[in-house]
Amino acid sequence: MEINQRPYHLVVFGASGFTGQFVAEEVAREQVASGQSSSLPWAVAGRSREKLQRVLERAALKLGRPTLSSKVGIIICDVTNPASLDEMAKQAAIVLNCVGPYRFYGEPVVKACVENGTSCIDICGEPQFLELMYWKYHEKAAEKGAYIIGSSGFDSIPADLGVIYTKNKMNGTLTAVESFLTIHSGPEGLCIHDGTWKSAVYGFGDQSNLKKLRNEANLKPVPIIGPKLKRRWPLSYCRELSSYSVPFLGADVSVVRRTQRYLHENLEQSPVQYAAYINMGGITSVIKLMFAGLFFLFFVRFGIGRQLLIKFPWLFSFGYFSKQGPTQKQMDGSSFTLRFFGQGYSQGFGPEKGKPNTRICTQVKGPEPGYVATPIAMVQAAMTLLNDASDLPSMGGVFTPGAAFFRTKLIDRLNQRGMEFSVISSSEV
């Protein structure tokens, strides 16, 4: 990457959007935390100078840095104007793309970055976009030396690096992992901005195209080591966590499987099977979710239904999604725990000797997922790209976080910023 030949190391594109403002604030915080105030030139980018200026002023006030806004560049560009995206890409070593839904607005940014040899990180949780970008741009990005790394927010750094962490901590061969996500809320409850809701609506409404994309890819199956990981029922009880759970429908499974394929095909590592679930708590929460889920799955099938879902997110999500997003108190009171239950074989044992004989439990804990943990993950991914260049894949390309960062110090960086990876238990059966 041509870091020293560009005016800015980082450019936050879409900094005046709901999530983008928190990412910009996190970059400013990182400058202070890492002592790089003068050696980390960065800029914000978007359509409105006034809105970008207000974002910087709010960050300056919140962080107690009155001169911040005068030290950060402002780039005016629009996702519908390719020339302006080229101009932005030429000025940046890394673009942090916060403009979604990515299925509508993501590709022009990837294209501009690849053509200009600029690396790009996004926080996309949309498997169709992520997988399509790989097929369309991986080879060109490799030629240009650009690293295009998707899903580098809460979707899906905790899951993807959590599986790698679990694998590294196991004394033997990890063959399968189930993860269980628990979202904790404070007295003010939970709320998510409707940008995430829109991405989900469009994604579920377009499942057929994702299947078509995967069929056309015609990939060779990754080998299964040990017993095949059985899928749980759509509603199941997790004894270890004393909670009902349902399958997690975000990008985590897609991303982890792509990482495991990369590690197997490029580094001959033993692949890990993976399934992801989200804990719903007690039976009252389960009933509420079932009603919301049935409404969602019915309406998302029709054009007019999708319009209603997008127009009234608060109503159809039982208050979990809103156009205003969470309040500061809601964010302060929220956190997440992602628990991994892995199984495999101890050293000297293997599938030929019978059932897995080793189990391990690890976890990733962190602050509010959407607007605190996501900016931390995205910014630390960017700092890893800047500082751990020798540990990245030798050529550029389109990567998952796990494929790009498995050799780097990203997990250490996240630990230092409040996303804690730890081993809960490990034992031979």
Side-chain angles (χ1 to χ4, degrees):
M1 292 186 297
E2 302 171 357
I3 292 171
N4 296 321
Q5 297 170 28
R6 308 284 175 108
Y8 303 113
H9 287 180
L10 307 178
V11 171
V12 181
F13 180 47
S16 57
F18 192 82
T19 306
Q21 63 182 323
F22 295 109
V23 173
E25 187 182 300
E26 186 62 28
V27 174
R29 190 177 286 113
E30 172 63 23
Q31 275 190 307
V32 176
S34 59
Q36 297 195 65
S37 294
S38 58
S39 59
L40 185 65
W42 67 288
V44 290
R47 291 178 296 181
S48 166
R49 182 176 293 275
E50 292 74 22
K51 287 182 180 178
L52 294 169
Q53 190 67 43
R54 281 202 295 272
V55 166
L56 293 175
E57 287 167 1
R58 276 200 301 271
L61 192 64
K62 195 169 180 181
L63 301 175
R65 294 180 61 192
T67 61
L68 174 70
S69 55
S70 64
K71 294 180 178 178
V72 179
I74 292 181
I75 300 170
I76 305 304
C77 71
D78 188 330
V79 77
T80 62
N81 182 339
S84 71
L85 293 177
D86 280 333
E87 278 303 306
M88 173 184 70
K90 286 172 184 172
Q91 297 181 67
I94 304 170
V95 170
L96 280 64
N97 183 16
C98 304
V99 180
Y102 290 90
R103 66 172 53 243
F104 299 131
Y105 308 119
E107 185 171 355
V109 182
V110 171
K111 188 171 186 286
C113 286
V114 168
E115 289 179 351
N116 290 283
T118 303
S119 292
C120 180
I121 294 174
D122 70 43
I123 44 177
C124 176
E126 305 163 44
Q128 186 181 346
F129 171 80
L130 295 164
E131 293 177 33
L132 182 62
M133 291 304 98
Y134 173 82
W135 292 114
K136 288 184 79 169
Y137 294 100
H138 179 68
E139 289 183 6
K140 185 75 180 287
E143 283 174 28
K144 293 281 192 173
Y147 293 84
I148 309 298
I149 305 170
S151 51
S152 292
F154 179 71
D155 272 351
S156 294
I157 277 183
D160 203 16
L161 293 188
V163 171
I164 289 171
Y165 176 83
T166 306
K167 189 175 183 178
N168 290 340
K169 293 296 180 182
M170 189 169 204
N171 186 22
T173 302
L174 182 68
T175 62
V177 173
E178 290 182 313
S179 71
F180 292 84
L181 170 65
T182 306
I183 304 291
H184 314 281
S185 63
E188 301 279 326
L190 287 170
C191 184
I192 306 169
H193 188 259
D194 77 326
T196 303
W197 176 257
K198 285 178 186 173
S199 296
V201 169
Y202 291 122
F204 277 94
D206 202 23
Q207 283 284 307
S208 60
N209 278 326
L210 177 57
K211 287 179 183 173
K212 185 181 173 187
L213 176 67
R214 288 173 175 172
N215 288 336
E216 288 173 353
N218 198 25
L219 293 169
K220 192 171 83 174
V222 173
I224 292 171
I225 311 300
K228 186 173 182 180
L229 183 61
K230 292 178 182 176
R231 283 189 181 182
R232 292 175 179 250
W233 289 92
L235 177 63
S236 62
Y237 188 74
C238 178
R239 283 185 321 229
E240 294 90 345
L241 300 172
S242 304
S243 175
Y244 288 97
S245 65
V246 296
F248 180 65
L249 300 177
D252 287 358
V253 171
S254 162
V255 171
V256 170
R257 286 178 179 170
R258 286 172 58 215
T259 293
Q260 292 304 314
R261 174 180 290 280
Y262 173 88
L263 296 177
H264 172 68
E265 292 179 350
N266 292 275
L267 300 166
E268 299 182 353
Q269 291 192 13
S270 175
V272 178
Q273 302 171 69
Y274 178 66
Y277 302 91
I278 181 166
N279 288 324
M280 298 310 303
I283 200 70
T284 307
S285 299
V286 169
I287 292 169
K288 192 175 174 182
L289 173 89
M290 284 173 65
F291 275 106
L294 288 171
F295 273 117
F296 183 88
L297 292 172
F298 175 76
F299 279 89
V300 82
R301 293 167 62 194
F302 312 103
I304 192 164
R306 291 193 288 274
Q307 288 174 29
L308 287 169
L309 287 168
I310 285 164
K311 192 170 184 181
F312 304 108
W314 190 86
L315 176 66
F316 287 103
S317 69
F318 284 62
Y320 284 120
F321 291 85
S322 78
K323 293 182 183 293
Q324 293 75 37
T327 64
Q328 188 62 51
K329 279 188 177 179
Q330 285 175 317
M331 288 190 285
D332 291 343
S334 300
S335 62
F336 77 89
T337 304
L338 187 57
R339 190 73 64 94
F340 300 86
F341 295 97
Q343 65 178 27
Y345 298 93
S346 58
Q347 289 184 351
F349 278 74
E352 69 283 351
K353 294 192 177 180
K355 293 180 180 179
N357 70 335
T358 301
R359 297 192 185 280
I360 187 170
C361 176
T362 64
Q363 75 175 16
V364 182
K365 286 182 71 172
E368 187 278 332
Y371 315 105
V372 184
T374 285
I376 289 170
M378 188 183 211
V379 172
Q380 291 312 314
M383 297 307 294
T384 303
L385 263 186
L386 286 173
N387 295 306
D388 296 3
S390 61
D391 296 322
L392 299 171
S394 57
M395 296 175 69
V398 179
F399 297 100
T400 59
F405 298 129
F406 75 98
R407 278 200 188 106
T408 68
K409 298 183 178 70
L410 178 54
I411 289 175
D412 295 338
R413 294 178 192 280
L414 294 171
N415 271 320
Q416 291 165 11
R417 297 295 187 274
M419 287 176 66
E420 300 169 7
F421 291 67
S422 61
V423 176
I424 304 300
S425 64
S426 181
S427 62
E428 286 193 23
V429 180

